[in-house]
Amino acid sequence: MTLTNNETAREFAERLLAIGAVSLSPDVPFTWASGLHSPIYCDNRVTLSDPQTRDLIADGLASLVRTNFHQVDVVAGTATAGIAHAALAADRLGAPMAYVRSAPKDHGRGNQIEGRIPARSQVVMVEDLISTGGSVLKAAEAVKGEGSTVVGVLALFSYELEKGHCAFEKAGLPLYTLSNYPTLIEVAAESGRITPEQQTTLATWSSDPQAWSDAH
C-alpha cells in the first residue's frame, strides 16, 4: 500500500526533475545494475547536494511521520541510501536515529543495526527509492528480530511497480512516499520535458518493466 500527499508529490517531483536527480530517456533507455532496460534513472543521492531539496525532504518525511503514526520512538534508515534521509527526518522530529545494514558485519561486534533501537520500540523505516521493496523489508525484519515493532516505511520516491505493492501488502506494512512515478511523468509532461508520445512509452514501461526491457 502506497499513500502519498498529491500536493507534496507534485512539488517533490518537480524538484527531482529540476536538479537532475531523475533522468528520463524513453528513446535511449538506461541499463540498470540488474540488466533491466529502463526509460528512467533515479539517483536520490543528488538531493543531498541541494539545500532546498534537503529541506523539502526533511520537512516532508517529518510531516508523514506526524500525520500517519501515533508513536515513533526511532527513525531507522537503510544502509546506505536511506541513512542521510533518515537523519534529516529524525533531526526534524527530535527523535533517535539508527541505520540497518543489509547483513551483519563480519568483524567487531557483528552489528547489523548501528545506533540504538531499544527493545519494544516503535520504529519507522526510511528508504530513498522503492522498486520491489526487498531491501527495506529485509531491514525491517532485522529490526523486528531484535524485539521492536516496525510501524511503517517512508521513502522519497516509488516506481509504483506491482511487485512492490504485493511485497508491502504481504508484509502488512504501509508505505508513504514523497512522490512517485505516475506523478513525476505527469509533471514532466505538463512542463514540456517529454512529448505525449514519450509519456505513453513511459506509462507502458511501468505496467510491465520486464516486457518493456525485453522489447528494447
Coordinates of all heavy atoms in Angstrom, one line a residue, residues 113-190:
I113 N 22.4 -3.7 13.1 CA 21.8 -2.4 13.4 C 22.9 -1.5 14.1 O 23.5 -1.9 15.0 CB 20.6 -2.6 14.3 CG1 19.5 -3.4 13.6 CG2 20.1 -1.3 14.8 CD1 18.4 -3.8 14.5
E114 N 23.1 -0.3 13.5 CA 24.1 0.6 14.0 C 23.3 1.8 14.7 O 22.3 2.3 14.1 CB 24.9 1.2 12.9 CG 25.7 0.1 12.2 CD 26.9 -0.5 13.0 OE1 27.0 -0.1 14.2 OE2 27.6 -1.3 12.5
G115 N 23.8 2.1 15.9 CA 23.0 3.0 16.7 C 22.2 2.2 17.7 O 22.4 1.0 17.8
R116 N 21.2 2.8 18.3 CA 20.5 2.0 19.3 C 19.0 2.0 19.0 O 18.4 3.1 18.8 CB 20.7 2.6 20.7 CG 22.1 2.5 21.2 CD 22.4 3.1 22.5 NE 23.7 2.9 23.0 CZ 24.2 3.4 24.1 NH1 23.5 4.3 24.8 NH2 25.5 3.2 24.4
I117 N 18.4 0.9 19.0 CA 17.0 0.7 18.9 C 16.6 -0.2 20.1 O 16.7 -1.4 20.1 CB 16.5 0.0 17.6 CG1 17.0 0.8 16.4 CG2 15.0 -0.2 17.6 CD1 16.6 0.2 15.0
P118 N 16.2 0.5 21.2 CA 15.8 -0.3 22.4 C 14.7 -1.3 22.1 O 13.8 -1.1 21.2 CB 15.3 0.8 23.4 CG 16.0 2.1 22.9 CD 16.0 1.9 21.4
A119 N 14.7 -2.4 22.8 CA 13.6 -3.4 22.6 C 12.3 -2.8 22.8 O 12.1 -1.9 23.7 CB 13.9 -4.6 23.6
R120 N 11.3 -3.2 22.1 CA 9.9 -2.8 22.1 C 9.7 -1.4 21.6 O 8.7 -0.7 21.9 CB 9.3 -3.0 23.6 CG 9.3 -4.4 24.0 CD 8.7 -4.5 25.4 NE 9.6 -3.9 26.4 CZ 10.7 -4.5 26.9 NH1 11.0 -5.7 26.5 NH2 11.4 -3.8 27.9
S121 N 10.7 -0.9 20.9 CA 10.5 0.5 20.2 C 9.5 0.4 19.1 O 9.4 -0.7 18.4 CB 11.8 1.0 19.7 OG 12.7 1.2 20.8
Q122 N 8.9 1.5 18.8 CA 8.1 1.7 17.6 C 9.0 2.4 16.6 O 9.4 3.5 16.8 CB 6.8 2.6 17.9 CG 5.9 2.0 19.0 CD 5.1 0.8 18.5 OE1 4.4 0.9 17.6 NE2 5.4 -0.3 19.2
V123 N 9.2 1.7 15.5 CA 10.2 2.1 14.5 C 9.6 2.4 13.2 O 8.8 1.6 12.7 CB 11.3 1.1 14.4 CG1 12.4 1.6 13.4 CG2 12.0 0.8 15.7
V124 N 10.0 3.5 12.5 CA 9.7 3.8 11.1 C 10.9 3.7 10.3 O 12.0 4.2 10.7 CB 9.0 5.2 11.0 CG1 9.9 6.3 11.3 CG2 8.4 5.3 9.6
M125 N 10.9 2.9 9.2 CA 12.0 2.7 8.3 C 12.0 3.8 7.3 O 11.0 4.2 6.8 CB 11.9 1.4 7.7 CG 11.8 0.2 8.6 SD 13.3 -0.1 9.7 CE 14.6 -0.3 8.4
V126 N 13.2 4.2 6.8 CA 13.4 5.2 5.8 C 14.3 4.6 4.7 O 15.4 4.2 4.9 CB 13.9 6.5 6.3 CG1 14.2 7.5 5.1 CG2 13.0 7.1 7.3
E127 N 13.8 4.7 3.4 CA 14.5 4.3 2.2 C 14.5 5.4 1.2 O 13.6 6.3 1.3 CB 13.8 3.0 1.7 CG 14.4 2.4 0.4 CD 15.8 1.9 0.6 OE1 16.7 2.7 0.8 OE2 16.0 0.6 0.6
D128 N 15.4 5.4 0.3 CA 15.4 6.5 -0.7 C 14.5 6.2 -1.9 O 13.8 7.1 -2.4 CB 16.8 6.8 -1.1 CG 17.4 5.8 -2.1 OD1 17.1 4.6 -1.9 OD2 18.1 6.2 -3.0
L129 N 14.5 4.9 -2.3 CA 13.8 4.6 -3.5 C 13.2 3.2 -3.4 O 13.8 2.3 -2.9 CB 14.8 4.6 -4.7 CG 14.3 4.1 -6.1 CD1 13.3 5.1 -6.6 CD2 15.5 4.0 -7.0
I130 N 11.9 3.1 -3.8 CA 11.2 1.8 -3.8 C 11.0 1.3 -5.2 O 10.3 1.9 -6.0 CB 9.9 1.9 -3.0 CG1 10.1 2.4 -1.6 CG2 9.1 0.6 -3.0 CD1 10.8 1.5 -0.7
S131 N 11.5 0.1 -5.4 CA 11.2 -0.6 -6.7 C 10.3 -1.9 -6.3 O 9.1 -1.9 -6.3 CB 12.4 -1.0 -7.5 OG 13.4 -1.7 -6.7
T132 N 11.0 -2.9 -5.8 CA 10.3 -4.1 -5.4 C 10.1 -4.1 -3.8 O 9.4 -4.9 -3.3 CB 11.1 -5.4 -5.7 OG1 12.4 -5.4 -5.1 CG2 11.3 -5.4 -7.3
G133 N 10.9 -3.2 -3.2 CA 10.7 -3.1 -1.7 C 11.6 -4.1 -0.9 O 11.6 -4.1 0.3
G134 N 12.3 -5.0 -1.6 CA 13.1 -6.0 -1.0 C 14.1 -5.6 0.1 O 14.1 -6.2 1.2
S135 N 14.8 -4.5 -0.2 CA 15.9 -4.1 0.7 C 15.3 -3.6 2.0 O 15.8 -4.0 3.1 CB 16.8 -3.0 0.1 OG 17.4 -3.5 -1.1
V136 N 14.4 -2.7 1.9 CA 13.8 -2.1 3.2 C 13.0 -3.1 4.0 O 13.0 -3.1 5.2 CB 13.0 -0.8 2.9 CG1 11.7 -1.1 2.2 CG2 12.8 0.0 4.1
L137 N 12.3 -4.0 3.3 CA 11.6 -5.0 4.0 C 12.5 -6.0 4.7 O 12.2 -6.5 5.8 CB 10.6 -5.7 3.1 CG 9.5 -4.9 2.5 CD1 8.6 -5.6 1.5 CD2 8.6 -4.4 3.7
K138 N 13.6 -6.3 4.1 CA 14.6 -7.2 4.8 C 15.2 -6.5 6.0 O 15.4 -7.1 7.1 CB 15.7 -7.5 3.8 CG 16.8 -8.4 4.4 CD 17.9 -8.7 3.3 CE 19.0 -9.6 3.9 NZ 20.1 -9.8 2.9
A139 N 15.4 -5.2 5.9 CA 15.9 -4.4 7.0 C 14.9 -4.4 8.1 O 15.2 -4.4 9.3 CB 16.3 -3.0 6.6
A140 N 13.6 -4.2 7.8 CA 12.5 -4.2 8.8 C 12.5 -5.6 9.5 O 12.2 -5.6 10.7 CB 11.2 -4.0 8.1
E141 N 12.7 -6.6 8.8 CA 12.8 -8.0 9.5 C 13.9 -8.0 10.6 O 13.7 -8.6 11.6 CB 12.9 -9.1 8.5 CG 11.7 -9.4 7.7 CD 10.5 -9.8 8.6 OE1 10.7 -10.6 9.4 OE2 9.4 -9.3 8.4
A142 N 15.0 -7.4 10.2 CA 16.1 -7.4 11.2 C 15.8 -6.6 12.4 O 16.1 -7.0 13.6 CB 17.4 -6.7 10.5
V143 N 15.0 -5.5 12.3 CA 14.6 -4.7 13.4 C 13.6 -5.5 14.3 O 13.7 -5.5 15.5 CB 14.0 -3.4 12.9 CG1 13.3 -2.6 14.1 CG2 15.0 -2.5 12.3
K144 N 12.7 -6.1 13.6 CA 11.7 -6.9 14.3 C 12.4 -8.1 15.1 O 11.9 -8.5 16.2 CB 10.6 -7.4 13.4 CG 9.7 -6.3 12.9 CD 8.5 -6.9 12.1 CE 8.9 -7.3 10.7 NZ 7.7 -7.7 9.9
G145 N 13.4 -8.6 14.5 CA 14.1 -9.7 15.1 C 14.8 -9.3 16.4 O 15.2 -10.2 17.2
E146 N 15.0 -8.0 16.6 CA 15.6 -7.5 17.8 C 14.6 -7.1 18.8 O 14.9 -6.5 19.9 CB 16.6 -6.3 17.5 CG 17.8 -6.7 16.6 CD 18.7 -7.7 17.4 OE1 18.9 -7.5 18.6 OE2 19.2 -8.6 16.7
G147 N 13.3 -7.4 18.6 CA 12.3 -7.2 19.6 C 11.5 -5.9 19.5 O 10.8 -5.5 20.4
S148 N 11.6 -5.2 18.3 CA 10.9 -3.9 18.2 C 9.8 -4.1 17.1 O 9.8 -5.1 16.4 CB 11.8 -2.8 17.8 OG 12.7 -2.4 18.9
T149 N 9.0 -3.1 17.0 CA 7.9 -3.1 16.0 C 8.1 -2.1 14.9 O 8.3 -0.9 15.2 CB 6.5 -2.8 16.7 OG1 6.3 -3.8 17.7 CG2 5.4 -2.8 15.7
V150 N 8.1 -2.5 13.7 CA 8.1 -1.6 12.6 C 6.7 -1.2 12.2 O 5.9 -2.0 11.8 CB 8.8 -2.2 11.3 CG1 8.8 -1.2 10.2 CG2 10.3 -2.6 11.7
V151 N 6.4 0.1 12.3 CA 5.1 0.6 12.1 C 4.8 1.0 10.7 O 3.7 1.2 10.3 CB 4.8 1.8 13.1 CG1 4.8 1.3 14.5 CG2 5.7 3.0 12.9
G152 N 5.9 1.2 9.9 CA 5.7 1.6 8.5 C 7.0 2.0 7.9 O 8.0 2.0 8.5
V153 N 6.9 2.3 6.6 CA 8.1 2.6 5.8 C 7.8 4.0 5.1 O 6.7 4.2 4.5 CB 8.4 1.6 4.7 CG1 9.5 2.0 3.8 CG2 8.7 0.2 5.4
L154 N 8.9 4.8 5.1 CA 8.8 6.1 4.3 C 9.9 6.0 3.2 O 10.9 5.4 3.4 CB 9.2 7.3 5.2 CG 8.4 7.4 6.5 CD1 8.9 8.7 7.3 CD2 6.9 7.5 6.3
A155 N 9.6 6.6 2.1 CA 10.6 6.7 1.0 C 10.4 8.0 0.3 O 9.4 8.6 0.3 CB 10.4 5.5 0.1
L156 N 11.5 8.4 -0.4 CA 11.4 9.6 -1.2 C 10.6 9.4 -2.5 O 9.8 10.2 -2.9 CB 12.8 10.1 -1.6 CG 13.6 11.0 -0.6 CD1 13.8 10.3 0.7 CD2 14.9 11.4 -1.2
F157 N 10.8 8.2 -3.1 CA 10.2 8.0 -4.4 C 9.9 6.5 -4.6 O 10.6 5.7 -4.1 CB 11.2 8.5 -5.5 CG 10.6 8.4 -6.9 CD1 9.8 9.5 -7.4 CD2 10.9 7.4 -7.7 CE1 9.3 9.5 -8.6 CE2 10.4 7.4 -9.0 CZ 9.6 8.4 -9.5
S158 N 8.8 6.2 -5.3 CA 8.4 4.9 -5.6 C 8.1 4.7 -7.1 O 7.5 5.6 -7.7 CB 7.2 4.4 -4.8 OG 6.7 3.2 -5.3
Y159 N 8.6 3.7 -7.7 CA 8.3 3.4 -9.1 C 6.8 2.9 -9.2 O 6.3 2.8 -10.3 CB 9.2 2.3 -9.7 CG 10.6 2.8 -9.9 CD1 11.7 2.2 -9.3 CD2 10.8 3.9 -10.7 CE1 13.0 2.7 -9.6 CE2 12.1 4.4 -11.0 CZ 13.2 3.8 -10.4 OH 14.5 4.2 -10.7
E160 N 6.2 2.5 -8.1 CA 4.8 2.0 -8.1 C 4.6 0.8 -8.9 O 3.7 0.6 -9.7 CB 3.9 3.1 -8.6 CG 3.8 4.4 -7.8 CD 3.1 4.1 -6.4 OE1 1.9 4.0 -6.4 OE2 3.8 4.0 -5.4
L161 N 5.6 -0.1 -8.8 CA 5.5 -1.4 -9.5 C 4.7 -2.4 -8.8 O 4.6 -2.4 -7.5 CB 6.9 -2.0 -9.7 CG 8.0 -1.1 -10.4 CD1 9.3 -1.8 -10.5 CD2 7.4 -0.7 -11.8
E162 N 4.0 -3.2 -9.5 CA 3.1 -4.2 -8.9 C 3.8 -5.1 -7.9 O 3.2 -5.5 -6.9 CB 2.4 -5.0 -10.0 CG 1.3 -6.0 -9.5 CD 0.2 -5.3 -8.8 OE1 -0.1 -4.2 -9.1 OE2 -0.4 -6.0 -7.9
K163 N 5.0 -5.5 -8.3 CA 5.7 -6.4 -7.4 C 6.0 -5.8 -6.1 O 6.0 -6.4 -5.0 CB 7.1 -6.8 -8.1 CG 7.8 -7.9 -7.3 CD 9.1 -8.3 -8.1 CE 9.8 -9.5 -7.4 NZ 11.0 -9.9 -8.2
G164 N 6.3 -4.5 -6.1 CA 6.5 -3.8 -4.8 C 5.2 -3.7 -4.0 O 5.3 -3.9 -2.8
H165 N 4.1 -3.4 -4.6 CA 2.8 -3.3 -3.9 C 2.5 -4.6 -3.2 O 2.1 -4.6 -2.1 CB 1.7 -3.0 -4.9 CG 1.6 -1.5 -5.3 ND1 1.4 -0.5 -4.5 CD2 1.8 -1.0 -6.5 CE1 1.4 0.6 -5.1 NE2 1.7 0.4 -6.4
C166 N 2.7 -5.7 -4.0 CA 2.4 -7.0 -3.4 C 3.3 -7.3 -2.2 O 2.9 -7.9 -1.2 CB 2.6 -8.1 -4.5 SG 1.4 -8.0 -5.8
A167 N 4.6 -6.9 -2.3 CA 5.6 -7.2 -1.2 C 5.2 -6.5 0.1 O 5.2 -7.0 1.2 CB 7.0 -6.8 -1.6
F168 N 4.7 -5.2 0.0 CA 4.3 -4.5 1.2 C 3.0 -5.0 1.7 O 2.8 -5.0 2.9 CB 4.2 -3.0 0.8 CG 5.6 -2.3 0.9 CD1 6.3 -2.1 -0.3 CD2 6.1 -1.8 2.1 CE1 7.5 -1.5 -0.3 CE2 7.3 -1.2 2.1 CZ 8.1 -1.0 0.9
E169 N 2.1 -5.4 0.8 CA 0.8 -6.0 1.3 C 1.1 -7.3 2.1 O 0.5 -7.5 3.1 CB -0.1 -6.2 0.1 CG -0.7 -4.9 -0.4 CD -1.6 -5.2 -1.6 OE1 -1.9 -6.4 -1.9 OE2 -2.1 -4.2 -2.2
K170 N 2.0 -8.1 1.6 CA 2.3 -9.3 2.2 C 3.0 -9.1 3.6 O 2.7 -9.8 4.5 CB 3.3 -10.2 1.3 CG 3.6 -11.5 1.9 CD 4.5 -12.3 0.9 CE 4.9 -13.7 1.5 NZ 5.7 -14.5 0.6
A171 N 3.8 -8.1 3.6 CA 4.5 -7.7 4.9 C 3.6 -7.0 5.9 O 3.9 -6.9 7.1 CB 5.7 -6.8 4.6
G172 N 2.4 -6.5 5.4 CA 1.5 -5.8 6.3 C 2.0 -4.5 6.7 O 1.6 -4.0 7.8
L173 N 2.8 -3.8 5.9 CA 3.4 -2.5 6.3 C 2.9 -1.5 5.3 O 3.0 -1.6 4.1 CB 4.9 -2.6 6.2 CG 5.6 -3.4 7.4 CD1 7.1 -3.4 7.1 CD2 5.3 -2.8 8.7
P174 N 2.5 -0.3 5.9 CA 2.1 0.8 5.0 C 3.4 1.5 4.5 O 4.4 1.5 5.2 CB 1.3 1.7 5.9 CG 1.9 1.4 7.3 CD 2.2 0.0 7.3
L175 N 3.3 2.0 3.2 CA 4.4 2.7 2.6 C 3.9 4.1 2.3 O 2.9 4.3 1.6 CB 4.8 2.0 1.4 CG 5.8 2.8 0.4 CD1 7.1 3.0 1.1 CD2 6.0 2.0 -0.9
Y176 N 4.6 5.1 2.7 CA 4.3 6.5 2.4 C 5.5 7.1 1.7 O 6.6 7.0 2.2 CB 4.0 7.3 3.7 CG 2.9 6.7 4.5 CD1 3.1 5.8 5.5 CD2 1.6 7.2 4.3 CE1 2.1 5.3 6.3 CE2 0.5 6.7 5.1 CZ 0.8 5.7 6.1 OH -0.3 5.2 6.8
T177 N 5.2 7.8 0.6 CA 6.3 8.3 -0.2 C 6.1 9.8 -0.5 O 5.0 10.3 -0.5 CB 6.5 7.6 -1.5 OG1 5.3 7.9 -2.4 CG2 6.6 6.1 -1.3
L178 N 7.2 10.5 -0.7 CA 7.1 11.9 -1.0 C 6.6 12.1 -2.5 O 5.9 13.1 -2.8 CB 8.5 12.6 -0.8 CG 9.0 12.7 0.6 CD1 10.3 13.5 0.6 CD2 8.0 13.4 1.5
S179 N 7.0 11.2 -3.3 CA 6.5 11.3 -4.7 C 6.5 9.9 -5.3 O 7.0 9.0 -4.7 CB 7.3 12.3 -5.6 OG 6.5 12.6 -6.7
N180 N 6.1 9.8 -6.6 CA 6.0 8.5 -7.2 C 6.1 8.7 -8.8 O 6.0 9.8 -9.3 CB 4.8 7.8 -6.8 CG 3.5 8.6 -7.1 OD1 3.3 9.1 -8.2 ND2 2.7 8.8 -6.0
Y181 N 6.3 7.6 -9.4 CA 6.5 7.5 -10.9 C 5.3 8.2 -11.6 O 5.5 9.0 -12.5 CB 6.7 6.1 -11.3 CG 7.0 5.9 -12.8 CD1 8.3 6.2 -13.2 CD2 6.1 5.5 -13.7 CE1 8.6 6.0 -14.6 CE2 6.4 5.3 -15.0 CZ 7.7 5.6 -15.5 OH 8.0 5.4 -16.8
P182 N 4.0 7.8 -11.4 CA 3.0 8.4 -12.2 C 2.9 9.9 -12.1 O 2.7 10.6 -13.0 CB 1.7 7.8 -11.6 CG 2.2 6.5 -11.0 CD 3.5 6.7 -10.5
T183 N 3.1 10.4 -10.8 CA 3.1 11.9 -10.6 C 4.3 12.5 -11.4 O 4.1 13.6 -12.0 CB 3.2 12.2 -9.1 OG1 2.1 11.6 -8.5 CG2 3.2 13.7 -8.9
L184 N 5.4 11.9 -11.3 CA 6.6 12.5 -12.0 C 6.4 12.6 -13.5 O 6.8 13.6 -14.1 CB 7.9 11.7 -11.6 CG 9.1 12.3 -12.2 CD1 10.2 12.3 -11.1 CD2 9.6 11.4 -13.4
I185 N 5.8 11.5 -14.1 CA 5.6 11.5 -15.5 C 4.6 12.6 -15.9 O 4.7 13.3 -16.9 CB 5.1 10.1 -16.0 CG1 6.2 9.1 -15.7 CG2 4.8 10.2 -17.5 CD1 7.5 9.4 -16.1
E186 N 3.6 12.8 -15.0 CA 2.6 13.8 -15.3 C 3.2 15.2 -15.2 O 2.9 16.0 -16.1 CB 1.5 13.7 -14.2 CG 0.3 14.6 -14.3 CD -0.7 14.4 -13.3 OE1 -1.5 13.5 -13.4 OE2 -0.7 15.2 -12.3
V187 N 4.0 15.5 -14.2 CA 4.7 16.7 -14.1 C 5.7 17.0 -15.2 O 5.7 18.1 -15.8 CB 5.4 16.8 -12.7 CG1 6.4 18.1 -12.7 CG2 4.5 16.9 -11.6
A188 N 6.4 16.0 -15.7 CA 7.3 16.1 -16.8 C 6.6 16.4 -18.1 O 7.1 17.3 -18.9 CB 8.1 14.8 -17.0
A189 N 5.4 15.8 -18.3 CA 4.6 16.1 -19.5 C 4.1 17.6 -19.4 O 4.1 18.3 -20.4 CB 3.5 15.1 -19.6
E190 N 3.5 18.0 -18.3 CA 3.0 19.3 -18.2 C 4.0 20.4 -18.4 O 3.7 21.5 -18.8 CB 2.3 19.4 -16.8 CG 1.0 18.6 -16.7 CD 0.4 18.6 -15.3 OE1 1.0 19.3 -14.4 OE2 -0.6 18.0 -15.1

